[in-house]
Amino acid sequence: MSPLTRKLLRDLWRIKGQAIAIGAVIAVGVLMLVMMTGLVASLEETRRAYYERYRLADVFAPVTRAPGHRAEDLGRLPGVAAVETRITGAALIDLGRDRLPIQARAVSLPDLRAPRLNAIHLTDGRMLQGGRNDEVVVLNSFARAVGLHPGDRLTATMNGFRRELRIVGLAQAPEFLYTTPPGELVPDDARFAVLWLNQSALEAVFDMEGAFNEALLSLTRDARRAEVIAAADRLLDRHGGLGAYPLHDLGSNRFISEEINGLKTSTAIVPPVFLAVAAFLLHIVISRMVQAEREQIGLLKAFGYTDWEVGGHYFRMILTIATGGALAGCVLGIVAGRAMVDLYLYFYKFPFLVFRLDPSSFLTGFVVSILSASAGGALVLRRVFALTPAVAMRPPAPPDYSRSGRFRGLAARFLDQPTRMVLRRLTRQPLRMAGAVVGIASGIALSAAMASILDSFDEMMDLTFGVMDRSDMSVTFTQPIEARSVLDLAAIDGVIEVEPVRMVPAILRHGRDSYRGAIHGLRAEPRLYRAVDKAQRPLYLRGDGITLSRGLANELGVRAGQVLTLEVREGRRPRVDIPVIAVAETLLGSPAYMELDALNRALKEPLRVSGAYLRVDPARADRIHARLKDMPMVAGVSLKAQARASLARVMDQGAGGTRYVMALIAAVITFGVIYNAARVAQAERARDLASLRVLGFTRAEVAYVLLGELAVVTLLALPLGGLMGWGLSFVISRGYSTDIYQIPPLFSAESYGWAMLVVLLAALVSGALVKRDIDRADLVAALKTRE
C-alpha cells in the first residue's frame, strides 16, 4: 500500500461523518434515479409484453349495429392485419337487496374458438363452454373485492332482461388494467365489473343475431393508423359508426401512460437537485481540507511527488465518496423499486409485474454522480496544482477583513462578545454562508412543494365533491329518454331534488387538435352539479355556446370566443360548430358544458335526458336503492360518497405516502448541508474555540459561537426556502397535471410549516452531534503548533 493510499484511508476515517452525510445525499439522488427509471422500464415492458401476448387491438371501432360480413370488408383495408368483432353492452349486477346495483360491462367471446384479438388471462376456474349461455367469466379484481368465486351465481340485468348466471372462471384482460365505474376516474374494484359471456348469449340479449357493435383491428408494422381509422369510419358510417379510435385513447391505457409520463418527469427533476447539493458539499469539504493541509502538500511535492500524484490523491477521495454514495443509491433504489411494484399491482391489474432494472440507470447514476462530484472538487484541485513547495510550506497570507462589517456604537453596546463573533464570521465569508443558505433552502423547497401538491389533492377533492357536485347520487339511463321520465325519480319516497342531465359522447376539434370526450348538458342555473369559475362561483350556462374546463381548453388550444367543431357519436351523429363562451375551473376530468335545452336543439332531439343528479334523505337511502334496482331504464347508480372515498383511498395509499418520503429526502439534504457546514467551521476554528475555553468561556458559550452562525444560516434559509418552494410547487403541479386531472398550485402555510419542522429537526440533530464533538475537544492538542 502506497503512502498516499494510507493517507487517503486515514483522511476518510477522520472525516467519516462528513463523508457519510455527502454520500447519503448522493445515494438519495441515485436511489430516485434507479427506482424511477426501473419503474418506467418495468411498466413499459410489462405493458408491451401483456398487450402482445393477449393480442390487444390497435384500433377500436364501436358501431350501433353492423352486419357480420362487414368484418371481411374491414380485413381488406390496407394496413389491417387481423379483425375481431364482438358485442358489448352495459349491465347491472344485483348482489342483494341491501346493496346498490353494480355497474358492469358485458363483453362477448367467440363460442367455439379463442378470440383473435383481446384475449383474456384466466386466473381461476375455466373458460366458457360453447352453447352454454348461462355461464360467465368475471373480472378477477371485482370478484375478489365482493367475495365471488367460481361456482357462485349472480344476477345481471342487460338490455332490460334479467339473467341468472353461473360463474365458471375469473380473469384479467389487458384492456381492463385500470377499471373505473362509468363517469368516474378513480378505480373501485367493488363498484365495477366486467362480464365475459358467449357471443350467442349476448346476441340474444342485445338483439344482435348475425351482427356486432364493436370491431377490433390489429395493424401491420407499415400501417398508417390515421388512414386506417378514417377508412374504418367510412365503412361503418352507414351502420351507425361511433368513431374508431386508437389504443392510445383507450381509457385504461391512457391512465397508465400518464403514470409513466409522471415518473419520467420526476426522474428529470428530483435527482439533479441532490447531485448539485452533493457537488456543493464536496467543494466545501475538499476546499477546507486543502487549506488545512497546505504544509503537507508542500512536503509531498518537496519529496518528489508530482502535481498529478498529489492532485490525484484528493481526487480519489472525491471519487471514493461519490462511488460509495452511488453504490448505496443503486442498492436502495432496487429495494425501493421492488416495494413500489406492489403498489402498482394494486392499482393496475397486471397478472404480474416484476421490477425490471434498467442498466442505463446504473451507468447514468455512476457517471452523473462522479461528474457532479468532480465538478465540485475541480476548482479546489486547481489550487493544489498551483501550489509550489516553497509557497505551500509557508503559512497562508492572513485574510483581509478590513472591509468586513464592524460592530461599534449601539451594536457593540447591546450585543455581547459571542454574538458579535457569530455575526462577524458571517460577514467575513459571505459566499460560503450564501451557499449554505441555498443548500438548506433547497431542502425546504422540496419538502414544502411536495406537501403543497398533496394539499392540492385535498383542494381538488373539495372543489369537485363539495363546490361543484352537491348531489348525493347520480343515475344513468340506458339511453337518452324523454325528460318527463325524470318525474319517476322525483316520485320515489326520500328523493328531495332531481336535476336532469344529458351526456353526449363527441369528438371535439379545434384546428389540428382533437379530444374524444363528452358534452355535459346541464340546466342554465344548475344546483346539484355546477360549473364554476376561478373564484368558485357558479357559471350561468348560456344557450349560445359551450363552456370548456381549463384542462380541456389547454388541450385543444382554444380560448373564449373561438369556435369548436363537435362530432357527435350517438343518434344521428351530427357535426356541429359551437362557439366557446367561457372556460370553467374543474380539476377532475376534462368536461365540456352546454345548457341542456341548447344541446338538445343542436342535436335536434328536444326534451331528452340521459341521467340525473339526486339529493336524497339518508334515512330512506335503502328504499331508494331498492326502487332504483327495479327501474328498467336505469343503467347505473353512483354514490358521491363512494366516489370521494375511493379517491381519498387512492391519495392516502399512493400519493399520500409521498409526503413522508419527501420529508425524509428533505431531511437528508438539510442534514447533509448543516452537518458539513458545522464540521467545516469546527475544523477551521478548532484553535480559536480552544483558545476561548482557555480564556474562560464555558462550553455552552463556545458552542454558541460555533452553532450560532449555523442557526443564523438556517433562519435565513427559511424565507428563501419558502419562496423557492412556492415556485417549485407551480413547476411540479404543471408537470403532474394531465387532461385526466389537473393539480392546482396551492402553497399553504401548513405545508410550509411542515417543511420548516423537518429542517429544524435536521438542524437540531446536526447541532447536537457537533456540540458533542466540541465538548470532547482536546484543548492541549488543539493549541499545539507544529513549527
Side-chain angles (χ1 to χ4, degrees):
M1 185 180 295
S2 67
L4 286 180
T5 301
R6 289 197 296 270
K7 181 180 183 304
L8 172 64
L9 296 177
R10 287 197 300 269
D11 289 343
L12 285 173
W13 178 253
R14 180 163 49 86
I15 63 167
K16 56 183 179 294
Q18 294 166 269
I20 292 173
I22 297 172
V25 175
I26 295 175
V28 171
V30 176
L31 179 153
M32 300 294 285
L33 180 65
V34 170
M35 180 187 73
M36 291 179 179
T37 54
L39 288 173
V40 169
S42 301
L43 289 173
E44 288 184 333
E45 178 61 25
T46 303
R47 180 178 63 172
R48 183 198 61 78
Y50 195 27
Y51 285 4
E52 288 184 358
R53 182 176 301 177
Y54 293 93
R55 304 178 298 282
L56 186 63
D58 297 311
V59 174
F60 296 75
V63 62
T64 303
R65 190 180 193 278
H69 65 79
R70 283 299 178 199
E72 298 178 2
D73 299 332
L74 291 170
R76 286 193 290 266
L77 294 177
V80 174
V83 177
E84 181 70 85
T85 60
R86 66 183 185 180
I87 300 168
T88 68
L92 282 180
I93 297 176
D94 187 359
L95 294 180
R97 297 290 298 179
D98 58 338
R99 301 186 63 170
L100 272 175
I102 296 170
Q103 300 183 69
R105 184 180 179 189
V107 181
S108 70
L109 293 175
D111 283 39
L112 301 175
R113 61 174 175 84
R116 300 184 186 93
L117 300 174
N118 288 33
I120 63 175
H121 169 68
L122 194 69
T123 59
D124 293 275
R126 61 171 175 83
M127 292 295 291
L128 304 170
Q129 291 182 351
R132 299 297 300 270
N133 292 345
D134 62 338
E135 294 183 348
V136 64
V137 174
V138 179
L139 185 67
N140 177 277
S141 56
F142 166 75
R144 301 297 185 196
V146 300
L148 294 176
H149 305 87
D152 294 342
R153 305 189 73 86
L154 61 81
T155 301
T157 301
M158 296 175 285
N159 198 27
F161 295 95
R162 199 173 180 90
R163 300 286 300 273
E164 291 289 334
L165 302 172
R166 183 166 60 90
I167 300 173
V168 297
L170 307 180
Q172 295 172 282
E175 66 177 304
F176 299 111
L177 287 176
Y178 190 92
T179 55
T180 61
E184 299 182 20
L185 296 176
V186 180
D188 190 336
D189 293 339
R191 294 195 300 120
F192 179 73
V194 180
L195 309 177
W196 286 278
L197 293 90
N198 280 319
Q199 183 152 343
S200 57
L202 289 189
E203 283 180 347
V205 169
F206 292 102
D207 190 22
M208 287 281 177
E209 288 81 0
F212 63 90
N213 62 9
E214 186 173 29
L216 308 174
L217 312 178
S218 68
L219 307 182
T220 59
R221 291 184 180 272
D222 58 348
R224 297 183 178 180
R225 188 177 61 185
E227 294 180 3
V228 173
I229 291 176
D233 284 341
R234 287 193 298 269
L235 192 62
L236 297 176
D237 186 68
R238 72 192 70 175
H239 304 294
L242 302 179
Y245 58 92
L247 174 60
H248 172 76
D249 288 336
L250 181 68
S252 174
N253 185 70
R254 284 177 60 195
F255 275 96
I256 296 175
S257 298
E258 295 294 350
E259 180 65 29
I260 292 173
N261 292 336
L263 286 172
K264 291 179 178 178
T265 300
S266 299
T267 304
I269 294 176
V270 177
V273 174
F274 291 92
L275 298 179
V277 172
F280 165 75
L281 296 178
L282 279 170
H283 172 77
I284 297 297
V285 171
I286 302 301
S287 176
R288 201 280 309 170
M289 183 174 291
V290 169
Q291 184 69 22
E293 297 182 355
R294 283 172 55 92
E295 294 183 6
Q296 296 181 27
I297 293 172
L299 287 172
L300 289 171
K301 291 187 176 183
F303 278 103
Y305 286 94
T306 65
D307 291 340
W308 286 102
E309 289 175 324
V310 177
H313 162 72
Y314 290 99
F315 190 69
R316 280 197 295 166
M317 179 178 295
I318 295 172
L319 292 182
T320 301
I321 296 174
T323 303
L327 283 173
C330 290
V331 174
L332 294 175
I334 296 172
V335 174
R338 289 178 174 172
M340 288 292 292
V341 161
D342 293 334
L343 181 64
Y344 282 106
L345 275 176
Y346 174 79
F347 289 114
Y348 303 110
K349 305 305 186 289
F350 290 104
F352 63 88
L353 181 60
V354 179
F355 182 64
R356 179 178 177 269
L357 298 176
D358 185 359
S360 64
S361 66
F362 292 99
L363 180 61
T364 303
F366 271 96
V367 171
V368 174
S369 299
I370 292 172
L371 288 178
S372 62
S374 302
L379 297 177
V380 180
L381 296 182
R382 287 178 55 191
R383 296 210 301 259
V384 174
F385 285 106
L387 286 174
T388 62
V391 174
M393 294 177 69
R394 288 200 305 265
D400 182 12
Y401 293 139
S402 62
R403 298 182 181 180
S404 62
R406 297 184 179 182
F407 300 95
R408 297 175 180 174
L410 292 176
R413 181 181 302 177
F414 290 103
L415 298 178
D416 58 13
Q417 186 63 34
T419 302
R420 293 201 300 273
M421 295 172 66
V422 169
L423 297 178
R424 192 176 293 117
R425 169 84 171 180
L426 295 174
T427 59
R428 288 176 175 177
Q429 294 182 324
L431 293 179
R432 179 180 296 184
M433 296 305 169
V437 169
V438 172
I440 297 171
S442 299
I444 299 173
L446 181 61
S447 180
M450 292 308 302
S452 296
I453 293 302
L454 295 171
D455 289 341
S456 299
F457 278 111
D458 295 335
E459 177 71 11
M460 176 182 69
M461 290 179 59
D462 290 339
L463 177 61
T464 301
F465 295 106
V467 177
M468 295 175 57
D469 187 356
R470 302 193 298 180
S471 68
D472 296 317
M473 66 172 62
S474 60
V475 175
T476 305
F477 302 138
T478 55
Q479 60 186 2
I481 60 177
E482 292 186 3
R484 62 184 179 183
S485 299
V486 175
L487 298 176
D488 294 337
L489 297 178
I492 299 176
D493 183 29
V495 173
I496 300 172
E497 186 176 359
V498 178
E499 186 172 277
V501 62
R502 182 165 186 187
M503 305 286 290
V504 179
I507 299 176
L508 288 71
R509 298 189 185 276
H510 177 251
R512 301 180 64 182
D513 298 317
S514 63
Y515 180 85
R516 177 180 291 270
I519 311 299
H520 290 57
L522 306 176
R523 285 177 173 172
E525 297 185 43
R527 287 172 43 84
L528 299 185
Y529 191 90
R530 310 178 300 170
V532 299
D533 60 13
K534 284 186 176 181
Q536 299 186 8
R537 295 171 301 198
L539 288 175
Y540 174 77
L541 297 180
R542 295 170 9 210
D544 57 345
I546 189 171
T547 299
L548 300 182
S549 64
R550 175 72 58 186
L552 181 54
N554 294 336
E555 178 80 8
L556 293 172
V558 66
R559 61 180 182 271
Q562 296 181 321
V563 176
L564 275 183
T565 298
L566 309 182
E567 297 179 5
V568 179
R569 312 317 295 177
E570 73 173 17
R572 297 183 305 103
R573 293 171 290 122
R575 184 185 178 98
V576 184
D577 292 330
I578 297 289
V580 178
I581 57 174
V583 175
E585 294 295 324
T586 177
L587 304 177
L588 201 59
S590 299
Y593 304 105
M594 284 187 68
E595 195 270 328
L596 180 59
D597 292 337
L599 176 59
N600 284 331
R601 284 196 302 271
L603 301 181
K604 298 182 178 179
E605 297 176 355
L607 301 177
R608 292 281 171 175
V609 296
S610 61
Y613 291 98
L614 278 63
R615 189 161 61 90
V616 303
D617 181 358
R620 294 180 172 85
D622 291 342
R623 297 181 185 176
I624 297 173
H625 299 168
R627 181 71 179 88
L628 291 174
K629 287 183 182 182
D630 297 331
M631 302 180 73
M633 65 182 180
V634 174
V637 180
S638 177
L639 295 181
K640 185 180 75 171
Q642 291 182 348
R644 180 164 189 158
S646 298
L647 181 59
R649 184 170 60 252
V650 170
M651 293 299 102
D652 291 339
Q653 296 178 354
T658 307
R659 74 179 72 202
Y660 307 108
V661 175
M662 288 303 170
L664 177 62
I665 290 173
V668 169
I669 289 182
T670 308
F671 177 79
V673 173
I674 296 177
Y675 182 74
N676 274 278
R679 292 306 302 267
V680 167
Q682 180 188 9
E684 289 178 342
R685 306 181 67 185
R687 185 180 179 86
D688 296 340
L689 297 176
S691 299
L692 292 177
R693 288 291 311 282
V694 172
L695 292 175
F697 282 70
T698 65
R699 290 180 177 178
E701 290 172 328
V702 172
Y704 174 78
V705 171
L706 180 62
L707 299 180
E709 68 183 63
L710 300 178
V712 173
V713 168
T714 303
L715 293 176
L716 290 175
L718 294 179
L720 178 61
L723 183 61
M724 294 170 60
W726 177 80
L728 187 59
S729 64
F730 280 85
V731 174
I732 295 178
S733 65
R734 179 171 297 180
Y736 278 94
S737 295
T738 68
D739 62 323
I740 298 174
Y741 56 84
Q742 293 78 48
I743 301 175
L746 177 68
F747 193 77
S748 64
E750 182 181 356
S751 61
Y752 181 50
W754 175 267
M756 287 177 58
L757 178 62
V758 171
V759 169
L760 292 176
L761 288 176
L764 289 174
V765 173
S766 302
L769 293 175
V770 173
K771 186 179 184 304
R772 183 192 61 181
D773 293 340
I774 294 174
D775 295 340
R776 296 176 179 178
D778 186 345
L779 301 182
V780 176
L783 292 171
K784 280 184 178 180
T785 59
R786 300 184 181 181
E787 290 81 3

